[in-house]
Amino acid sequence: MPPFKDEHVLLISPGSRTTLAQLGLPESFAPARLRVSTRMFPAEKKGEWEPLKVREKKVTKVSPPEVKGDGDPSETQMNGANGTAPDVLTKAEEAEEETLYEEDPTTEDGAIFPLQSGKVVNWSCFFALLEHVYNTLSPPLHTPIFVVAQPAWTSQDHETITQFFFEKFKTPAFCLMDSALAICYAYGVATATVVDVGYEKCDVTAVSDFLVNDLGRGIALPGCGGDTMTNRLHDLLGPQGFTKDMCEQLKKSGICEILPVGIDLPAETDSGSQGVNAAAMTSSGAAGSGTEQRGSISAQSGLSRGPGVEASIGDDDQERVTKDGEENDGVLDVAGIVASGKTSEYLAKKEKEKAEKASAKRAAAEAAAASKPTRLPNSRREKAILHYDERRSLDDLNLNSKSSAEIESAQEGGESKRQKTPEAPADGADASTLSRREERRRSRGNTAFVRRDIEVGTERFKAASGGVLDQIADATHRCVMSVLEINKRSELWDSLIIIGNGSRVKGFKEALLSTLTSKYLISPSSATIFTSELPSNISTPLATGANTPQPQAQPPSHHGGGVNPLLLAATTASNSSLAPPGQQHMQSQLHLQQYQHHQQQQQHSSHGQTPTSIKVAKIPEYFPEWKDAGTEEAVFLGAQVAAKVLFVVDQGLSKGFMSRTEYNEMGPSGIHESCL
């Protein structure tokens, strides 16, 4: 097969709300270049779809008046001056209605979402979306296609998608990879537990040595996505007048936070703490500098008290005080100090004064720091301000042209520079600016954003209070416990990956980790509580009952009372034929139990039932473009890494993708042999 080039690889990652796509693999892997909404709108013709909402707009068109004659204005004026009727025939203005079609990129009215909870619910709309993405990127003919598959897709879905790409786009190679496996490629780990939190669902997958474990996998768990948290906020704040759009912006803001297990909600006293103004206390005895802070008798009299007894005066005043051994001009009399014989006492006095000055300055600095109001973190503030950006129509706001221009200029980040006298653009730069402004106006759909400040209470901490974290934690524990390789379970617990746009809520990952720790983690000291006191020659009791003593009848003893039982056991251990008839069966049973116990010790090499440590895996740091974008969409990073390995480096040696020749021979069902 001819090699594929990096710039020809097409990547598509469909999601329930957003589809990521890109043509070509950059030198340094970066976030997706194309982001489109996973929605389509029905067209006029049945069975066809449009990417944007098309609206009809009725425009009244007035026909211009007809002019007969040569149309010379001088002749018309002359005829009018002579009192004769001009040679102009004006018809009645005929109003004609013309239908215009406009695209509205902001609305979702009438939109069809082909993916719901990861499942394809409308194949015609889904294929139209894929075709729209393909036409937008416009790849060349020899283009391999890499598609990230959702865990909810069945084997029949894989075959249907494979047939569509091969028959519609004539692609030379096609690869279909599970999203959990692509995430492992992004993190560079072979064994991990992937928790993918989406819009309406959550997928929990255990990957062992780059193999997806289907047994016990949590696929499309309902009520665990980001939309569930938005609905929870709407249920709590709806009676206060919050809409769902307000709750969505609140969830994405920095004041919405999910607190870990054991952290209480902030109390009212935390947000109302204030400091004491030390300067005001020193001069007037009041706790603050305002008039309402004057509570003492001297403060109420309005007279300044001056420095108190313990108050320190300035360094300038201190220097003007005549000290022992100093003259009035401040020059130190060294000869007088030496002649007096009190040199040591003078030096000790100086050191004491220096220490007192330092302690006074330190106390003043501490008092000044205490007087400043402390800024509490968000988790300790009872109330916070939400800056809500509401999209409003310009017609509803009743804006004139001047204020509309000011809003447009403000949204562009500059001041309004509207001229008093309209002039034509002097150069191409002004024309390009106007064209960009017109394009931006069309993209906004003749709307503007109006900012409102809304106060929110402790309800902003309860986005996941509906049992979301507990449900995800239970699914994670069940998924790891379903892995048949028991020695892999500890590695799965130590490589936990929490990903997805639903996990962007502040504190979500930390809260989920604390939930898992509180419910399922046992400390290493408590794991050996029953085995630490046992002697070293006694094996650990197992759940199989192999080491449980069983009551058996004692065989009759055939040796005399004078025979040493230890000597008899040592003699018959190497040669069972010398043992009495009753003990031969017991020795064979004992050897069988020891062999079974040895085999079980080889299998149970670690604590497989409950984890002793739970750790979150970290993404590699050699992708600088992903630091600012966040790792919530790292599935696309894994798709880039896998496409580079399969299409460019490997060139099909490991059967990681399906070629056109294999499709012609085996059909769509052949994708199961190369699907990852």
Side-chain angles (χ1 to χ4, degrees):
M1 174 174 289
F4 298 108
K5 297 182 179 180
D6 292 348
E7 57 269 17
H8 291 169
V9 179
L10 177 60
L11 306 173
I12 302 176
S13 176
S16 298
R17 286 286 162 170
T18 305
T19 297
L20 309 178
Q22 179 174 295
L23 178 61
L25 299 175
E27 186 174 348
S28 179
F29 296 148
R33 299 173 184 171
L34 178 64
R35 300 172 59 92
V36 297
S37 298
T38 311
R39 67 185 184 191
M40 298 295 287
F41 295 89
E44 291 184 357
K45 188 176 180 180
K46 187 177 181 180
E48 296 183 356
W49 303 88
E50 296 287 346
L52 297 176
K53 178 69 174 180
V54 179
R55 297 183 181 274
E56 293 184 1
K57 185 177 181 181
K58 300 293 185 179
V59 178
T60 303
K61 183 178 180 182
V62 181
S63 59
E66 296 184 1
V67 180
K68 290 188 178 182
D70 53 1
D72 190 0
S74 60
E75 181 180 358
T76 304
Q77 292 178 1
M78 182 176 59
N79 293 335
N82 297 332
T84 60
D87 193 10
V88 178
L89 179 60
T90 305
K91 284 188 175 183
E93 296 182 354
E94 297 181 358
E96 298 180 359
E97 286 189 355
E98 184 180 359
T99 303
L100 298 180
Y101 296 93
E102 293 182 347
E103 293 182 347
D104 189 355
T106 61
T107 184
E108 292 184 355
D109 297 338
I112 303 297
F113 293 88
L115 288 179
Q116 294 182 7
S117 299
K119 303 176 183 178
V120 183
V121 296
N122 193 323
W123 283 101
S124 175
C125 183
F126 183 61
F127 289 154
L129 173 68
L130 296 177
E131 187 175 358
H132 167 64
V133 172
Y134 188 90
N135 295 335
T136 301
L137 296 175
S138 185
L141 182 62
H142 192 67
T143 300
I145 300 178
F146 187 98
V147 176
V148 179
Q150 291 289 331
W153 292 356
T154 62
S155 300
Q156 184 64 33
D157 296 341
H158 293 172
E159 296 179 7
T160 304
I161 295 174
T162 303
Q163 182 179 2
F164 171 76
F165 276 101
F166 274 108
E167 298 294 340
K168 183 67 177 180
F169 305 122
K170 311 297 180 184
T171 177
F174 179 73
C175 178
L176 199 62
M177 176 175 284
D178 193 278
S179 61
L181 188 58
I183 294 172
C184 291
Y185 270 88
Y187 278 76
V189 293
T191 302
T193 303
V194 181
V195 179
D196 190 358
V197 185
Y199 178 70
E200 297 175 335
K201 48 86 178 180
C202 176
D203 298 317
V204 183
T205 308
V207 180
S208 177
D209 294 332
F210 291 110
L211 295 177
V212 178
N213 293 272
D214 295 328
L215 183 62
R217 185 179 188 183
I219 298 178
L221 300 176
C224 298
D227 187 60
T228 304
M229 290 182 276
T230 304
N231 294 333
R232 178 59 179 169
L233 291 175
H234 188 243
D235 294 340
L236 296 173
L237 298 173
Q240 302 180 18
F242 277 69
T243 62
K244 189 171 182 180
D245 184 61
M246 292 181 182
C247 297
E248 181 69 19
Q249 292 193 23
L250 173 62
K251 184 189 68 176
K252 296 179 180 179
S253 65
I255 65 174
C256 180
E257 186 176 356
I258 300 177
L259 302 180
V261 177
I263 303 299
D264 298 331
L265 295 178
E268 186 176 359
T269 56
D270 294 341
S271 59
S273 59
Q274 297 179 356
V276 178
N277 193 334
M281 178 64 74
T282 303
S283 61
S284 62
S289 58
T291 57
E292 67 278 0
Q293 298 291 341
R294 300 187 177 184
S296 62
I297 300 176
S298 60
Q300 291 176 359
S301 62
L303 300 178
S304 177
R305 291 171 49 190
V309 178
E310 300 295 334
S312 60
I313 61 178
D315 296 338
D316 297 337
D317 297 334
Q318 188 75 15
E319 290 178 356
R320 286 195 294 267
V321 179
T322 304
K323 304 174 184 177
D324 295 339
E326 295 183 2
E327 298 180 357
N328 294 333
D329 55 357
V331 179
L332 184 64
D333 187 6
V334 180
I337 296 174
V338 175
S340 62
K342 300 180 179 180
T343 307
S344 58
E345 290 83 353
Y346 180 78
L347 295 177
K349 181 180 179 182
K350 285 292 183 181
E351 292 295 332
K352 183 179 179 181
E353 291 177 357
K354 187 183 298 185
E356 290 177 355
K357 286 183 179 180
S359 60
K361 290 182 179 180
R362 186 164 50 251
E366 293 177 356
S371 63
K372 295 181 180 179
T374 58
R375 183 176 179 85
L376 298 176
N378 179 60
S379 58
R380 294 182 57 189
R381 283 183 291 172
E382 183 185 10
K383 295 182 180 181
I385 301 299
L386 169 66
H387 303 292
Y388 172 61
D389 295 331
E390 183 181 7
R391 184 187 293 270
R392 299 284 298 275
S393 175
L394 297 180
D395 299 334
D396 297 339
L397 296 176
N398 295 324
L399 298 178
N400 53 22
S401 59
K402 181 177 179 179
S403 58
S404 176
E406 292 177 355
I407 286 182
E408 292 176 0
S409 178
Q411 291 180 353
E412 292 172 5
E415 297 180 357
S416 177
K417 298 181 180 180
R418 186 178 179 88
Q419 300 178 354
K420 296 181 179 180
T421 304
E423 298 179 358
D427 50 2
D430 295 336
S432 61
T433 303
L434 293 177
S435 63
R436 287 197 302 268
R437 179 172 297 179
E438 184 66 23
E439 183 180 356
R440 192 176 295 109
R441 184 186 295 110
R442 290 197 305 266
S443 64
R444 289 197 302 263
N446 197 23
T447 58
F449 287 101
V450 179
R451 171 160 292 188
R452 296 168 50 192
D453 293 341
I454 305 175
E455 190 178 48
V456 188
T458 56
E459 293 85 2
R460 67 186 192 276
F461 300 111
K462 303 177 182 179
S465 60
V468 175
L469 297 177
D470 293 335
Q471 189 174 353
I472 297 178
D474 295 342
T476 304
H477 181 265
R478 182 170 58 253
C479 180
V480 175
M481 291 297 103
S482 300
V483 177
L484 298 180
E485 302 178 51
I486 301 179
N487 55 348
K488 289 287 184 181
R489 295 178 182 176
S490 60
E491 188 175 356
L492 290 171
W493 283 115
D494 291 337
S495 300
L496 182 64
I497 300 177
I498 305 174
I499 207 170
N501 287 324
S503 63
R504 288 184 181 270
V505 184
K506 185 178 179 181
F508 181 86
K509 299 179 181 180
E510 293 78 5
L512 178 59
L513 183 61
S514 64
T515 303
L516 287 170
T517 302
S518 62
K519 294 186 68 173
Y520 303 109
L521 183 68
I522 60 173
S523 61
S525 58
S526 62
T528 58
I529 188 174
F530 298 105
T531 60
S532 59
E533 302 298 332
L534 296 177
S536 59
N537 59 348
I538 299 180
S539 60
T540 304
L542 300 177
T544 57
N547 295 42
T548 304
Q550 300 292 335
Q552 297 180 358
Q554 296 292 334
S557 177
H558 294 277
H559 55 81
V563 180
N564 191 350
L566 297 178
L567 179 62
L568 178 63
T571 305
T572 58
S574 59
N575 191 356
S576 59
S577 60
L578 300 179
Q583 292 184 357
Q584 293 182 1
H585 179 69
M586 293 177 59
Q587 288 186 356
S588 61
Q589 292 291 336
L590 180 62
H591 288 311
L592 179 61
Q593 291 180 2
Q594 291 178 352
Y595 174 76
Q596 292 177 353
H597 174 61
H598 177 72
Q599 294 294 329
Q600 291 174 356
Q601 277 187 336
Q602 296 295 329
Q603 295 178 359
H604 296 268
S605 58
S606 62
H607 300 281
Q609 299 299 326
T610 51
T612 57
S613 64
I614 301 178
K615 301 178 182 179
V616 177
K618 295 183 179 180
I619 197 169
E621 297 182 355
Y622 43 78
F623 298 112
E625 290 81 1
W626 288 88
K627 291 184 179 180
D628 299 334
T631 60
E632 286 78 14
E633 295 181 351
V635 60
F636 197 79
L637 173 61
Q640 295 179 3
V641 176
K644 179 75 172 182
V645 173
L646 298 177
F647 288 131
V648 181
V649 179
D650 187 62
Q651 293 291 331
L653 296 179
S654 61
K655 299 286 293 181
F657 60 87
M658 185 178 187
S659 63
R660 181 73 187 184
T661 305
E662 295 172 346
Y663 177 78
N664 294 335
E665 294 177 356
M666 296 181 291
S669 60
I671 192 62
H672 302 304
E673 298 183 4
S674 58
C675 180
L676 299 178

